[in-house]
Amino acid sequence: MGQDQTKQQIEKGLQLYQSNQPEKALQVWTRVLEKSADLVGRFRVLGCLVTAHSEMGRYKEMLKFAVVQIDTARELADADFLLESYLNLARSNEKLCEFHKTISYCKTCLGLPGTRASAQLGGQVSLSMGNAFLGLSLFQKALESFEKALRSAHNNDDAMLECRVCCSLGSFYAQVKDYEKALFFPCKAAELVNNYGKGWSLKYRAMSQYHMAVAYRLLGHLGSAMECCEESMKIALQHGDRPLQALCLLCFADIHRSRGDLELSQLKLHCLSERICRSKGLQRELRAHVVRFHECVEETELYCGLCGESIGERNSRLQALPCSHVFHLRCLQKSGPRSCPNCRRSSMKPGFV
């Protein structure tokens, strides 16, 4: 496969990936890697494979391709390519929570001689190092690295990098329990997405919404937290971002726990997990979540006494009557009973529904 054909196939893979067909994109890029003799093209396609596997949560595969990319960069004997490949290696280890290795590879990046790419990638190196320090609970070093990354983003007018740094700062301040700042920085990230992100991947919007949800929950603004988390989950489901799906599930559980509705939190988790498994064709896991969902319904006796459907399976508005029995709002409006269908108490006031 020649240089021009390699470029065409890389572009074809990118188009497939951007149109939400990641598996087909991976097939195209893998064929390029097998057949192309163009080292520069191989380096670029390895970068695509590293990014794709990162966003799909396949971190071991991400690391594998990052190691191959290092070898390719050494063959090319180009400092710019070497810097980029070491950064991808640092990111791979960051995703695998190998934080000491992440810091080591980031220091290797910073120790490389000045390159054309160093101005652009220096901020990303500082961001990855900051995330690793945060993972090790070295808060002062993490903050120093994030501040370096933020300065780099401003100096290079890199709004994408600034957005990512703001999300990491949201996590930082959530951990040190400064919840106002934990909300401020993700809100700044969301503002950047709204102002500059028309051509960006939706992952930046999803990322900012998730961090806003975490901060809102910590501040006790549970309605806003739920809205942001639902928006983030919707994008994560559309784009097959499994790591973000997992984070959103945990956030949903935390929101429900904060509300005190533990039973409904279990129903919500099993419902969302069922959707994820169904979209991925994971039949065994799908059956397990369906069974557990119905077990939870049986245990909590969460049924609508009018239509007989379980409460919590779909996002439906509910209405609690003065006697504390809960029904679908649409069912009460449709039937218009003058007493509770469960206990028959004449406790419904005119115009209550």
Side-chain angles (χ1 to χ4, degrees):
M1 186 181 290
Q3 186 175 8
D4 291 339
Q5 194 175 0
T6 298
K7 287 182 179 178
Q8 290 174 3
Q9 291 299 303
I10 292 174
E11 185 62 32
K12 179 182 176 181
L14 286 170
Q15 291 173 358
L16 287 167
Y17 192 77
Q18 290 166 0
S19 62
N20 202 24
Q21 301 180 70
E23 294 299 339
K24 290 184 178 179
L26 292 179
Q27 291 173 8
V28 171
W29 290 330
T30 302
R31 284 198 299 270
V32 172
L33 203 57
E34 291 170 351
K35 297 180 179 179
S36 179
D38 174 30
L39 283 178
V40 174
R42 286 173 61 82
F43 183 89
R44 292 302 175 205
V45 82
L46 284 163
C48 292
L49 287 164
V50 167
T51 300
H53 282 96
S54 172
E55 294 183 355
M56 296 168 76
R58 302 174 182 176
Y59 299 138
K60 289 185 179 179
E61 289 85 351
M62 178 189 181
L63 178 59
K64 180 184 73 174
F65 288 115
V67 170
V68 177
Q69 193 183 43
I70 283 277
D71 294 336
T72 307
R74 287 171 178 158
E75 284 188 65
L76 286 164
D78 185 292
D80 288 312
F81 290 147
L82 200 59
L83 173 59
E84 185 178 335
S85 57
Y86 269 113
L87 175 57
N88 280 334
L89 197 56
R91 286 172 173 164
S92 302
N93 281 281
E94 177 194 329
K95 297 295 186 183
L96 290 167
C97 299
E98 295 281 359
F99 298 127
H100 290 291
K101 290 183 180 180
T102 301
I103 294 166
S104 176
Y105 287 124
C106 285
K107 288 181 177 178
T108 300
C109 291
L110 297 174
L112 290 172
T115 63
R116 296 186 303 277
S118 59
Q120 285 184 316
L121 297 183
Q124 297 184 37
V125 172
S126 295
L127 173 59
S128 189
M129 185 177 284
N131 289 334
F133 281 132
L134 185 58
L136 294 169
S137 299
L138 299 173
F139 297 118
Q140 185 59 44
K141 290 185 177 181
L143 185 58
E144 290 171 1
S145 296
F146 290 144
E147 288 174 343
K148 285 181 183 177
L150 202 56
R151 283 197 299 271
S152 176
H154 291 157
N155 292 339
N156 293 288
D157 197 23
D158 189 341
M160 280 189 184
L161 176 60
E162 184 179 356
C163 178
R164 291 170 56 201
V165 176
C166 284
C167 287
S168 289
L169 282 167
S171 291
F172 172 85
Y173 283 110
Q175 289 195 36
V176 299
K177 302 186 186 305
D178 187 339
Y179 300 144
E180 295 292 341
K181 287 184 180 177
L183 178 60
F184 170 81
F185 283 103
C187 285
K188 177 63 177 176
E191 182 183 335
L192 289 167
V193 172
N194 290 334
N195 291 339
Y196 304 104
K198 189 175 180 180
W200 297 6
S201 166
L202 281 172
K203 72 176 182 181
Y204 289 93
R205 176 170 176 77
M207 184 169 55
S208 62
Q209 292 294 313
Y210 163 73
H211 287 284
M212 286 169 64
V214 172
Y216 275 129
R217 181 188 67 79
L218 292 170
L219 286 166
H221 303 160
L222 302 183
S224 297
M226 183 63 79
E227 288 178 12
C228 292
C229 198
E230 286 177 344
E231 175 67 15
S232 184
M233 175 60 94
K234 181 175 72 174
I235 298 171
L237 286 169
Q238 288 173 349
H239 292 266
D241 189 338
R242 298 185 72 183
L244 184 56
Q245 290 170 22
L247 290 172
C248 287
L249 285 171
L250 289 172
C251 189
F252 279 130
D254 286 336
I255 293 168
H256 283 295
R257 187 174 68 246
S258 297
R259 286 175 168 172
D261 48 358
L262 299 180
E263 293 85 0
L264 283 177
S265 71
Q266 291 183 41
L267 288 170
K268 186 78 171 177
L269 283 170
H270 288 302
C271 230
L272 289 167
S273 299
E274 177 189 339
R275 289 173 58 191
I276 295 169
C277 294
R278 193 182 300 280
S279 67
K280 297 294 180 183
L282 303 173
Q283 295 302 319
R284 180 185 296 179
E285 292 85 349
L286 172 61
R287 285 193 295 272
H289 284 295
V290 170
V291 169
R292 189 65 193 118
F293 174 83
H294 288 290
E295 286 176 350
C296 287
V297 170
E298 293 289 343
E299 290 168 5
T300 55
E301 298 181 347
L302 289 175
Y303 290 98
C304 174
L306 289 168
C307 68
E309 291 183 4
S310 57
I311 290 172
E313 190 166 0
R314 297 182 178 85
N315 290 329
S316 302
R317 294 181 66 186
L318 306 177
Q319 178 68 66
L321 301 186
C323 57
S324 299
H325 288 124
V326 179
F327 303 88
H328 291 125
L329 177 59
R330 66 175 186 273
C331 295
L332 288 172
Q333 290 174 330
K334 186 176 179 180
S335 63
R338 312 308 296 178
S339 61
C340 174
N342 276 13
C343 64
R344 302 300 175 185
R345 285 178 57 186
S346 300
S347 57
M348 291 184 65
K349 300 176 183 178
F352 184 78
V353 179

